[in-house]
Amino acid sequence: MKTKVLIVDDSALIRSVMSEIVNSQPDMEVVATAPDPLVARELIKKHNPDVLTLDVEMPKMDGLDFLEKLMRLRPMPVLMVSSLTERGSEITMRALELGAVDFVTKPKLSIQAGMREYTELIADKIRAAARARVKRASSTATPTTALPQLRSPLTSSEKLIIIGASTGGTEAIREFLMQMPSDCPGILIAQHMPEGFTSSFARRLDSLCKIRVLEAAGNERVLPGHAYIAPGHSHLLLARSGANYMTKIEQSEPVNRHRPSVDVLFRSAALAAGKNAVGVILTGMGKDGAAGMLEMKNAGAQNFAQDEASCVVFGMPREAIAIGAAHEVAPLTALPGLVLGHMSAHGGRALRV
């Protein structure tokens, strides 16, 4: 049975190209298109689509207003179609908070040719959305759960938390980081996200968390109470410089079709930090990160994977679990406590590698 897709976009060109892309796939079909949310509302009732693609900025009703109402009244998988602008990226971050599964970007130049180049990416994201666990808009309130305290600030300067995620990861990362205390170990993050969106993502998290959250620039000392997010155009790696851990940025070829790649980050952590690292693999489509996490485990790191029930898409954690890379599997809400608990239990100055 084919996945039924409803395309909502005020641009007739985008509706046409998106329809061509979707209908070219053997396992999906466009059941209808709509130029605005008001028309879309009626078409949803008529066609009961499996996935909705929704333009971020539209006339008559803003895409965010429509998404908020939709996720409250009739939650369904929504893939946002966003422009590569600062405003577009800010709105997209908010859309993911409201419950959109994922997003794709419109190319800046030659929209028709650019969208056709995106055929494989768009098809993959629609497939992931169709299988996703749709979640209602989440609160940004700080959880009140008491988390383990690190026994010594020395732990923070030696231990590191290394996180990888993809589909559904922006919200999972937000939930994880909001529970981190201000003196937590340094954190490095690879989230599959295009260039231009990671800076908005970092700013949003920085405004919500006790810790500092930055888009990694490269050659920064990794500090306690700081999280460094891989920029959308580059791989993020962990490096060692004397007594310090440093960030490193590389624009080498994509790995597992991704740049940034979780495997690249995890492998660098295995080499640079060994047993001083804790690996965390969160919700995401595909297998990026599984092999790198196994390398971390073999180097002495303790690894955690998000469980299926709390994942939007149980792809990346499943692959890591399948090859024996994860020591523990747990719901997202439990992961911050487990990670800090492990670090507290192994407190004191860690041995250098």
Side-chain angles (χ1 to χ4, degrees), residues 170-223:
T170 54
E171 283 305 281
I173 290 166
R174 179 183 66 78
E175 290 183 38
F176 186 96
L177 293 188
M178 283 181 68
Q179 295 200 55
M180 290 293 106
S182 58
D183 63 345
C184 74
I187 301 171
L188 273 68
I189 300 167
Q191 158 74 42
H192 296 160
M193 190 177 281
E195 183 175 359
F197 287 79
T198 42
S199 56
S200 295
F201 183 41
R203 284 195 303 271
R204 179 70 178 151
L205 292 176
D206 190 55
S207 72
L208 296 170
C209 299
K210 299 185 196 76
I211 64 172
R212 286 294 320 277
V213 184
L214 314 160
E215 182 184 54
N219 298 316
E220 300 144 301
R221 184 182 169 198
V222 177
L223 298 171

Side-chain angles (χ1 to χ4, degrees), residues 54-168:
L54 179 63
D55 189 12
V56 164
E57 301 176 79
M58 284 183 298
K60 295 189 180 177
M61 182 187 285
D62 181 80
L64 286 185
D65 291 340
F66 178 61
L67 178 66
E68 190 169 18
K69 290 180 173 66
L70 183 69
M71 299 311 289
R72 191 172 67 245
L73 303 172
R74 192 199 182 285
M76 64 182 296
V78 176
L79 181 67
M80 303 304 292
V81 181
S82 172
S83 56
L84 274 168
T85 62
E86 186 164 337
R87 173 173 159 76
S89 62
E90 297 284 355
I91 294 172
T92 302
M93 291 302 103
R94 179 62 184 143
L96 294 171
E97 284 183 7
L98 290 171
V101 171
D102 204 348
F103 69 97
V104 291
T105 56
K106 297 176 182 177
K108 288 180 181 175
L109 302 171
S110 183
I111 286 180
Q112 194 161 359
M115 290 298 273
R116 289 201 172 104
E117 287 174 9
Y118 284 10
T119 294
E120 193 174 2
L121 175 67
I122 290 169
D124 281 348
K125 293 205 171 198
I126 289 172
R127 287 185 191 101
R131 296 192 303 267
R133 287 176 180 78
V134 176
K135 302 186 178 184
R136 294 174 188 272
S138 52
S139 165
T140 55
T142 304
T144 55
T145 310
L147 294 172
Q149 295 299 303
L150 296 173
R151 289 202 307 227
S152 163
L154 295 174
T155 309
S156 300
S157 64
E158 287 294 319
K159 293 285 188 178
L160 293 169
I161 301 170
I162 314 294
I163 299 174
S166 185
T167 316

